[in-house]
Amino acid sequence: MNFGIKDWKYKYVELPDIRDAEGVDAYVKAAEEYFPKWTRGEYKRIETPKFSNPVAQQNWEFEQIRRCIEGHDGLPGKMYFYYHFCMIRNISGGFIPPDFRISDVVWFHLLESCEHGNYNQGKGIICVKRRRGGFSWKQGSDALHDTLFKSGFRVGMTSKDEDAAKDLMKKVYQMYERLPTFLTHPFASKTQESFLLARKTEDDLGQRSLSGNESEVYCKAPTDSCFEGEQIGKMVIDEAGKISNLETIWSMGVPTLMEETQRVGVPVLFGTAGEQTKVGVGQKAFWKDNETFDLIKFFFPGWAGLMCDKDGNDNVRASVEWIIKEREKIAKLDDDKKLMEFIQQYPLYSKEAFLTKGSMGVGNQRRIAERMAELEETEVRSVKGKFRWGKDKEAPVVFEPNTPYDNTGECIIYEHPKSEVGYVSGCDPADHDYVQKGASNLSMYIMSKQRGTFPPRIMLSYTCRPQKVNDYYEQAAMALVYYGNTKVLIENNRYGMIKFFEDNGYSNLLKPEPIQKQRMSKVQSKQYGIRATKPTIQEMERVINHYTDDHCHLVPEKELLVEFTLYGESNVDRVFAIGWCLISLEDDYISIEQEKAMNAALPTYRMRKINGRITRTK
């Protein structure tokens, strides 16, 4: 495509998922169409000519200003200004001009499209990007461009903390100080928090006024009210994924962009995603519901601007292959946190940008985060309600879905039972009534057993903390009966639930302690439940790791996935419940294998006395 600002319009396209090197070809085919191609040959930076007279110099300078405003030769005006006249800090020291990148052309084109009279007018931008993409420099250049070439225009900026906001402001100063003289302003004044193209003057009568175009860039720390009460044409929020009060800043800042009932200013939010279970949740909400906030999605993938040819086009294949190889190297270290950090630094599709590193966690954190992102887009069908004992000719247990008149049921059914399917269950119980708010919940899961190629799935989830624990126990018992008298493996460090089952005739629903692998004697224990000890907890972590490796895409519950990431930090009742459930599932496999081995060892004949002689018979 022959790219030019007048013949191309930006439209967000979701890049495909990629898991490993085998998916490179399909991914590259889609990614090569992600940005348009620059086909006009190598784009060279303009050089200041030697002028024969002042008029020629003035005409040339006016032409450069026109190009910075209107664009030139397929480049948006903002990109022309950034590429030809801005200097950015070099990682090895000093300042250098930016390289020509087609991804930068697209970014500045998108910024201009949101301004007055263009096809995205009235919209803002939510950008999720790889790290070290130079966006703070680009956005500093954009703010400087608005200030220089617009009259009475104000840009408000903030970042993850006060120091980062000042650093963003510093980039604006550093670029301004290195501009050619004809682009600077005679009345520019600056402080640590403001850059104003005006000078305060006072006439003979003491009347004060401003001289200059009166445009300004200012920055503030990310407090709730950092933009409140201002009147600005652009609101820039850097490092949006690391700002905990992002949603509050937005709600208090958007009115500053309004003209009566119409939003005329442009909000720009960008940054790498933070911890999605913590501060990054705000940026994720804006990304997910971008249309609600009138924001355009812009994803800057890990390969963008990483390896480019002389024309500024991305060498997608080489970049993606490098990223995949680096991931494989890190994966061999068996350090999920380092792997998540690298993936978040160089994401290949938008869901990866929101992966959480976690501080501890359990399970395959990458697959858990991917599944969380999937459930954000499409929830699994389920029915919430409660059980009751059947009457007369009804089934032994009846499930009653919640209604607008009674929504007190806390049992969530993902699939109703089938007679040909076997089930297992695990429970993390509690013993005490009337606990204070914030106490641990009781949690139980029921899962189907493996059937041929059909993997085990979560059928029922029941997590809550009623005032009386017996109410929970009764519902749990009915749920187990409903699923074909399934036996539940209960953590017996707290014995109240097991005692309730024994006292009320539900002992047939209790599963004995599983056979421990470290025992030489493979004999089933006679005690009910499982003890939470260091060895059993290690086993629980192991089965969760394996299940999330293979079947994380089947987990239907966001709350459980979140608790996988919080394991080791706070109460994770669901994690223990599903862990005991998976141990019960594995124990069931062991029992089946043992039964097969025992049957195979039994003799296939018997001895009978025939005609006075002992003889073998089948």
Side-chain angles (χ1 to χ4, degrees):
M1 180 185 293
N2 191 16
F3 180 74
I5 191 170
K6 295 181 180 179
D7 55 15
W8 182 82
K9 291 186 177 181
Y10 173 82
K11 183 179 180 180
Y12 175 73
V13 177
E14 187 69 61
L15 287 168
D17 293 6
I18 179 173
R19 305 283 178 177
D20 48 40
E22 292 182 2
V24 169
D25 288 342
Y27 178 87
V28 169
K29 184 177 180 181
E32 285 180 340
E33 301 297 320
Y34 191 69
F35 292 136
K37 297 291 184 184
W38 183 267
T39 58
R40 301 186 179 188
E42 184 178 358
Y43 195 94
K44 295 183 179 179
R45 188 170 282 102
I46 194 168
E47 295 182 4
T48 304
K50 293 182 178 180
F51 302 105
S52 58
N53 57 72
V55 174
Q57 179 177 350
Q58 187 179 63
N59 289 339
W60 183 86
E61 291 174 350
F62 283 164
E63 173 61 17
Q64 297 309 307
I65 292 172
R66 185 196 67 79
R67 293 179 181 183
C68 288
I69 297 171
E70 300 177 7
H72 177 71
D73 194 25
L75 293 187
K78 291 178 183 290
M79 177 65 187
Y80 189 91
F81 172 73
Y82 173 70
Y83 178 68
H84 287 292
F85 300 114
C86 290
M87 302 287 283
I88 62 176
R89 184 176 292 281
N90 187 10
I91 191 171
S92 58
F95 288 83
I96 58 173
D99 292 329
F100 185 83
R101 297 283 186 261
I102 191 66
S103 54
D104 291 348
V105 178
V106 173
W107 173 249
F108 285 112
H109 166 75
L110 179 57
L111 284 167
E112 287 196 358
S113 76
C114 295
E115 297 181 2
H116 182 73
N118 289 300
Y119 65 92
N120 283 325
Q121 182 184 348
K123 295 185 179 293
I125 303 171
I126 173 68
C127 169
V128 175
K129 64 179 186 68
R130 72 169 175 89
R131 293 179 188 169
R132 303 187 65 82
F135 270 78
S136 57
W137 286 102
K138 284 180 277 198
Q139 206 47 45
S141 168
D142 174 55
L144 183 57
H145 181 279
D146 287 336
T147 310
L148 288 171
F149 302 114
K150 295 177 182 177
S151 180
F153 194 87
R154 300 187 74 220
V155 179
M157 303 192 300
T158 191
S159 191
K160 61 182 179 180
D161 53 40
E162 185 175 3
D163 289 339
K166 289 180 179 178
D167 186 60
L168 185 60
M169 192 75 238
K170 188 176 179 181
K171 289 178 170 65
V172 176
Y173 302 151
Q174 289 171 336
M175 283 187 285
Y176 178 80
E177 289 167 352
R178 289 164 178 81
L179 290 176
T181 305
F182 73 91
L183 288 176
T184 58
H185 196 282
F187 295 139
S189 62
K190 62 182 182 180
T191 66
Q192 277 193 328
E193 298 181 351
S194 174
F195 177 65
L196 177 65
L197 296 187
R199 182 179 298 167
K200 294 179 181 179
T201 59
E202 186 174 316
D203 60 20
D204 295 338
L205 298 176
Q207 299 293 326
R208 293 183 178 181
S209 62
L210 290 175
S211 300
N213 71 359
E214 300 183 28
S215 290
E216 179 186 16
V217 183
Y218 73 88
C219 73
K220 289 187 178 181
T223 60
D224 291 350
S225 58
C226 60
F227 297 120
E228 186 184 22
E230 303 287 351
Q231 187 174 1
I232 55 181
K234 183 167 287 180
M235 180 174 71
V236 178
I237 303 179
D238 181 21
E239 297 285 11
K242 298 177 181 178
I243 299 177
S244 59
N245 59 332
L246 178 64
E247 292 161 300
T248 305
I249 291 175
W250 171 271
S251 62
M252 299 181 74
V254 164
T256 67
L257 303 171
M258 304 293 290
E259 189 175 276
E260 296 179 350
T261 59
Q262 184 179 5
R263 193 171 78 190
V264 295
V266 179
V268 181
L269 295 77
F270 66 98
T272 53
E275 294 292 333
Q276 62 173 312
T277 55
K278 299 175 185 177
V279 296
V281 69
Q283 186 180 13
K284 188 176 182 182
F286 284 107
W287 181 263
K288 178 187 174 185
D289 299 321
N290 64 298
E291 293 184 359
T292 303
F293 300 104
D294 284 326
L295 296 171
I296 302 165
K297 287 182 177 180
F298 182 83
F299 173 57
F300 191 74
W303 49 263
L306 195 61
M307 300 179 188
C308 295
D309 61 21
K310 61 183 179 61
D311 297 335
N313 295 309
D314 287 286
N315 187 337
V316 179
R317 179 172 293 277
S319 300
V320 171
E321 287 177 347
W322 177 82
I323 291 170
I324 293 295
K325 286 180 182 178
E326 289 299 308
R327 290 184 182 185
E328 290 173 349
K329 288 180 185 177
I330 298 171
K332 291 178 182 178
L333 301 175
D334 197 24
D335 189 331
D336 278 349
K337 190 172 181 179
K338 285 184 179 179
L339 180 60
M340 292 304 103
E341 187 173 321
F342 183 82
I343 291 172
Q344 197 179 67
Q345 184 171 354
Y346 295 100
L348 293 176
Y349 51 98
S350 62
K351 291 176 186 175
E352 286 191 330
F354 293 100
L355 293 179
T356 176
K357 298 189 292 294
S359 62
M360 294 184 69
V362 66
N364 187 318
Q365 292 296 305
R366 179 182 178 184
R367 298 196 185 281
I368 288 167
E370 289 172 347
R371 182 56 176 163
M372 289 174 69
E374 290 171 2
L375 292 179
E376 289 287 346
E377 299 292 332
T378 306
E379 292 188 2
V380 175
R381 293 180 63 182
S382 63
V383 181
K384 195 172 185 179
K386 59 186 174 183
F387 295 96
R388 65 171 175 81
W389 296 111
K391 302 175 183 178
D392 300 329
K393 296 182 179 181
E394 291 181 324
V397 171
V398 176
F399 178 74
E400 295 182 335
N402 286 344
T403 68
Y405 308 102
D406 182 5
N407 62 353
T408 57
E410 295 290 345
C411 297
I412 302 174
I413 288 181
Y414 296 102
E415 291 185 37
H416 288 281
K418 298 177 181 178
S419 57
E420 70 274 16
V421 181
Y423 300 98
V424 295
S425 180
C427 183
D428 180 42
D431 286 345
H432 303 293
D433 295 331
Y434 305 110
V435 294
Q436 294 180 349
K437 186 177 180 181
S440 296
N441 287 320
L442 297 90
S443 186
M444 184 179 82
Y445 287 94
I446 296 177
M447 296 183 68
S448 63
K449 297 179 182 179
Q450 178 102 22
R451 286 186 302 140
T453 58
F454 292 94
R457 306 171 68 101
I458 294 174
M459 301 285 110
L460 174 138
S461 168
Y462 179 32
T463 302
C464 69
R465 186 65 188 251
Q467 287 189 326
K468 293 186 176 181
V469 291
N470 283 0
D471 294 339
Y472 182 95
Y473 302 158
E474 188 76 15
Q475 280 291 302
M478 286 188 277
L480 296 166
V481 173
Y482 187 73
Y483 281 86
N485 293 309
T486 295
K487 293 182 182 295
V488 59
L489 182 63
I490 301 173
E491 181 185 311
N492 61 20
N493 294 51
R494 296 180 289 272
Y495 203 77
M497 186 171 181
I498 294 176
K499 188 174 187 306
F500 177 87
F501 274 44
E502 290 175 327
D503 293 345
N504 289 275
Y506 305 144
S507 296
N508 64 307
L509 302 176
L510 294 171
K511 184 179 177 72
E513 181 184 20
I515 299 169
Q516 293 185 25
K517 289 188 174 183
Q518 63 268 31
R519 286 186 181 178
M520 294 297 292
S521 174
K522 303 298 184 181
V523 179
Q524 189 86 22
S525 171
K526 293 183 180 180
Q527 73 172 2
Y528 291 125
I530 185 169
R531 196 81 177 164
T533 62
K534 186 174 181 179
T536 58
I537 289 175
Q538 288 175 341
E539 278 295 294
M540 179 201 74
E541 292 170 350
R542 180 186 63 80
V543 294
I544 290 175
N545 289 338
H546 286 178
Y547 189 78
T548 53
D549 280 340
D550 300 331
H551 306 304
C552 194
H553 63 287
L554 300 177
V555 177
E557 190 175 63
K558 289 183 288 187
E559 293 80 3
L560 174 59
L561 294 167
V562 170
E563 287 197 10
F564 282 149
T565 68
L566 297 177
Y567 180 79
E569 294 183 23
S570 58
N571 289 335
V572 283
D573 312 290
R574 290 179 173 87
V575 173
F576 278 89
I578 197 67
W580 303 140
C581 189
L582 290 169
I583 283 181
S584 179
L585 183 68
E586 187 169 273
D587 182 64
D588 184 71
Y589 294 153
I590 295 171
S591 300
I592 291 172
E593 292 300 319
Q594 282 188 326
E595 186 177 345
K596 287 180 180 178
M598 188 177 294
N599 290 336
L602 290 174
T604 58
Y605 59 86
R606 57 182 177 172
M607 308 298 289
R608 294 184 65 185
K609 188 174 184 180
I610 301 176
N611 297 327
R613 296 179 64 182
I614 303 298
T615 307
R616 289 184 180 183
T617 61
K618 289 187 177 181

